[in-house]
Amino acid sequence: GTLYENDGAGEGEAGWFSPPACFLSLVAVLIMLAGVRESKSATAAMTYLKMAVMAFMTIGGLFFFRSENLVPFLPSQFGPAGIMRGATSSFFGYLGFDEICCLSGEAVNPRRDMPRAVLWTLASVTTFYILASLALTGMCPYTDISPTSGFPDAFRYNGAHFAAHVAGVSPLSFSSSPPPPACPN
């Protein structure tokens, strides 16, 4: 078979080879081969960039916040089980948590520093997730939220096309985190 099959209408089915994934894997290997210091710097730079874009999306989203979008605050069709599904799906998407675990071997006093680092990371990222969730649901009615492209579509929904572009091409789009929900146009 071919590597990539296309039906002629622009719709295709991916085969066993993905050029972008291959390229990203090659870049990751080259960064690791450059050494620990360079790998650590690249990881830190990506973490800071992700946090900056997350702050941009959250703060930008709060500018379009409409309190009527939060009613009902806990829709009956989701209930407590929906809260738990959302909490568990977002838990593994925490930014920076993996970096702390990977760099734990370099801590001067790991017994003291690791618990502090983990707790500070969990507290700060939980705060970011809550604020981002409020911003997104305040930007767009919950009934219009779909699981494909969260903030980009929510910004487009509010006419903020530049912000939609920034959110759409951000490193968050390529992270291992679960994608945030979206508002269709």
Side-chain angles (χ1 to χ4, degrees), residues 24-38:
L24 290 175
S25 295
L26 179 65
V27 169
V29 167
L30 292 175
I31 290 172
M32 287 190 291
L33 288 175
V36 174
R37 175 175 283 145
E38 290 77 6

Side-chain angles (χ1 to χ4, degrees), residues 29-118:
V29 167
L30 292 175
I31 290 172
M32 287 190 291
L33 288 175
V36 174
R37 175 175 283 145
E38 290 77 6
S39 179
K40 185 172 123 177
S41 297
T43 301
M46 287 305 295
T47 299
Y48 289 129
L49 183 59
K50 286 180 181 183
M51 293 300 287
V53 172
M54 187 71 180
F56 170 80
M57 292 188 309
T58 302
I59 293 167
L62 291 173
F63 281 107
F64 297 105
F65 187 87
R66 288 188 295 276
S67 60
E68 61 267 15
N69 289 338
L70 297 180
V71 177
F73 189 73
L74 179 58
S76 59
Q77 69 263 37
F78 300 123
I83 292 173
M84 292 308 293
R85 275 192 307 276
T88 56
S89 70
S90 67
F91 178 77
F92 294 104
Y94 277 71
L95 304 171
F97 187 76
D98 56 338
E99 183 176 356
I100 286 175
C101 293
C102 291
L103 298 175
S104 63
E106 297 182 28
V108 174
N109 185 352
R111 177 169 268 160
R112 182 197 72 195
D113 297 340
M114 282 305 298
R116 288 180 182 177
V118 169

